[in-house]
């Protein structure tokens, strides 16, 4: 019998986790697959961990990976991927926003030979208008300037064959933009559509500023275009300045000099200053990441792993 590993990052999900596990339990009673439920407690400061451990007593397929603090969803997912023993893995949110009814359909496509089955959102109804617009801009921009294409409106909810999980586990970088890494490893992919449901309890952990940083992470992880555009910007601006200088020289030779020109000097100084600050800032974004990456710290630290079943 094939074993399916669900990977569930949990950060303060005490209100959702039991409902989630019960729903999954019910589903897997109706389909002929073995279940492994890898839950990652991402430094919750509520009752998430104790609830997970309590559920584990009656459901031996639950594994609990307890991280030493909140490392963020990307790291929690990475931790989960390392514990997969099933034939296929599905990362899924604990807040029941990802419809678990989709799982049998995903498995069917996987059995047909697809190594990755993406779940694509049909709409972004649960997002604010601002989030919808910014998400669209992000995907457009990212896919224009990066070597790999991230499919729009696809989250972490997807089925991956064991070989894909193994490939992901080989990637050494410790700043892990999972959407990008998922796309980067490739494999034979298909997708199914679904409608996101609203969060069951509690609020989203991602605020606008975090989403902005997340987008920056995505772009800097997979593209060096922001580093390179400054060369071209510099060439264009220098070219224009040169033409302007020629114009001034010719004008002075023909008509003599006048004292006007302070505004144009001020404008060009401010403009160049601005451009230089932007380009230095861009360098900083990358150097900061090189710095963090060069420390070679693990992306997460596990306090303890709780398992009941013997794994193969
Ligand atoms: N999550 C996590 N660590 C974090 C933030 C979120 O493990 O630092 C988990 C959270 O418990 C949930 C999933 O990631 O299972 C998605 O989080 P959320 O619902 O807040 O995000 P959204 O649905 O708004 O993308
Ligand atoms: Mg959610």
């Amino acid at each position: 019998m094939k074993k399916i590993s669900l990977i569930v990052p949990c950060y303060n999900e005490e209100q959702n986790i039991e409902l989630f596990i019960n729903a999954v339990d019910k589903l897997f009673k109706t389909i002929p697959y073995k279940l492994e439920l890898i839950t990652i407690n991402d430094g919750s400061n509520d009752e998430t961990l104790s609830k997970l451990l309590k559920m584990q007593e009656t459901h031996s397929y639950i594994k609990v990976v307890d991280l030493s603090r909140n490392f963020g969803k990307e790291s929690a997912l990475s931790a989960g991927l390392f514990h997969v023993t099933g034939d296929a893995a599905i990362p899924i949110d604990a807040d029941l926003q990802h419809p678990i009814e989709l799982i049998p359909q995903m498995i069917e496509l996987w059995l047909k030979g697809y190594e990755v089955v993406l779940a694509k959102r049909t709409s972004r109804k649960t997002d604010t208008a601002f989030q919808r617009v910014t998400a669209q801009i992000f995907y457009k921009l990212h896919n224009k300037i990066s070597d790999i294409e991230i499919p729009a409106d696809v989250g972490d909810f997807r089925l991956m064959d064991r070989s894909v999980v193994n490939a992901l586990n080989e990637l050494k970088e410790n700043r892990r933009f999972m959407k990008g890494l998922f796309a980067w490893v490739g494999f034979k992919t298909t997708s199914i559509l679904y409608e996101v449901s609203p969060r069951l309890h509690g609020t989203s952990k991602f605020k606008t500023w975090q989403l902005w940083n997340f987008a920056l992470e995505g772009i800097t992880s997979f593209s060096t275009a922001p580093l390179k555009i400054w060369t071209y910007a510099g060439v264009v601006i220098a070219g224009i300045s040169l033409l302007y200088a020629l114009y001034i020289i010719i004008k002075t030779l023909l008509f003599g000099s006048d004292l006007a020109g302070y505004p144009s000097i001020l404008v060009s100084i401010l403009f160049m200053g601005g451009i230089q600050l932007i380009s230095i800032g861009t360098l900083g974004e990358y150097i900061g990441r090189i710095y963090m990456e060069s420390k070679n710290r693990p992306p997460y630290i596990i306090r303890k792993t709780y398992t009941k079943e013997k794994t193969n």
Side-chain angles (χ1 to χ4, degrees):
M1 194 154 69
K2 298 264 189 213
K3 182 153 91 175
I4 309 293
S5 306
L6 298 194
I7 304 171
V8 196
C10 308
Y11 177 49
N12 294 343
E13 299 286 3
E14 61 178 4
Q15 288 172 297
N16 296 319
I17 195 64
E18 285 156 320
L19 293 163
F20 173 81
I21 294 176
N22 286 332
V24 170
D25 189 71
K26 213 167 125 201
L27 174 79
F28 272 80
K29 285 209 168 98
T30 63
I31 52 177
Y33 306 103
K34 221 176 142 209
L35 169 64
E36 174 182 56
L37 196 68
I38 303 169
T39 57
I40 302 96
N41 176 37
D42 188 14
S44 304
N45 38 36
D46 63 358
E47 293 304 310
T48 304
L49 179 64
S50 55
K51 291 208 166 165
L52 283 173
L53 293 176
K54 200 159 152 258
M55 293 294 276
Q56 193 189 39
E57 280 167 23
T58 45
H59 303 75
S60 60
Y61 54 73
I62 299 180
K63 266 187 195 161
V64 184
V65 180
D66 186 26
L67 301 186
S68 61
R69 65 171 170 86
N70 179 251
F71 281 92
K73 186 182 176 187
E74 307 296 297
S75 300
L77 270 182
S78 301
L81 283 169
F82 268 100
H83 287 82
V84 168
T85 64
D87 302 292
I90 306 177
I92 183 168
D93 287 359
D95 55 7
L96 290 158
Q97 279 195 292
H98 296 154
I100 57 168
E101 310 83 71
L102 239 54
I103 291 174
Q105 233 175 307
M106 291 168 130
I107 297 176
E108 230 163 82
L109 284 165
W110 167 60
L111 291 175
K112 277 193 187 142
Y114 290 102
E115 291 153 317
V116 179
V117 184
L118 305 174
K120 206 172 156 81
R121 308 166 63 158
T122 46
S123 75
R124 289 184 162 260
K125 268 201 306 220
T126 57
D127 288 2
T128 60
F130 176 72
Q131 279 174 347
R132 271 198 292 266
V133 173
T134 47
Q136 212 176 8
I137 295 174
F138 168 74
Y139 285 115
K140 279 244 166 71
L141 179 69
H142 184 280
N143 291 341
K144 243 211 176 85
I145 66 177
S146 300
D147 315 329
I148 53 135
E149 185 159 329
I150 299 183
D153 302 329
V154 172
D156 302 316
F157 185 35
R158 61 185 64 214
L159 180 145
M160 292 176 285
D161 186 76
R162 185 58 191 270
S163 54
V164 182
V165 175
N166 290 345
L168 286 168
N169 288 344
E170 286 292 311
L171 302 180
K172 294 281 177 284
E173 59 220 86
N174 56 31
R175 298 185 65 118
R176 303 176 82 82
F177 181 68
M178 293 313 284
K179 273 185 200 204
L181 298 180
F182 286 152
W184 187 85
V185 293
F187 290 94
K188 202 170 156 209
T189 305
T190 184
S191 52
I192 52 176
L193 296 173
Y194 79 104
E195 186 81 47
V196 184
S197 354
R199 200 171 218 286
L200 198 64
H201 290 293
T203 54
S204 172
K205 275 102 197 167
F206 295 93
K207 304 275 168 335
T208 307
W209 185 245
Q210 277 165 312
L211 287 171
W212 162 253
N213 283 329
F214 192 52
L216 268 191
E217 194 67 55
I219 286 175
T220 52
S221 293
F222 286 94
S223 168
T224 50
L227 284 176
K228 291 182 198 149
I229 52 171
W230 302 109
T231 318
Y232 301 100
V235 168
V236 170
I237 292 168
I240 293 171
S241 315
L242 207 67
L243 289 179
Y244 186 55
L246 279 177
Y247 163 76
I248 291 174
I249 291 170
I250 292 168
K251 197 175 139 209
T252 313
L253 287 177
L254 291 182
F255 306 107
S257 90
D258 51 23
L259 252 181
Y262 286 116
S264 57
I265 289 175
L266 204 62
V267 166
S268 48
I269 289 176
L270 289 178
F271 179 67
M272 278 315 298
I275 294 278
Q276 281 166 354
L277 283 181
I278 295 173
S279 50
I280 292 172
T282 310
L283 288 178
E285 290 286 338
Y286 281 91
I287 293 174
R289 283 173 172 77
I290 296 169
Y291 174 61
M292 296 309 283
E293 200 72 39
S294 70
K295 290 174 192 275
N296 228 340
R297 284 186 191 143
Y300 53 83
I301 292 187
I302 295 173
R303 178 182 293 124
K304 196 172 168 183
T305 310
Y306 304 83
T307 33
K308 284 205 107 177
E309 264 174 7
K310 283 263 168 291
T311 50
N312 39 19

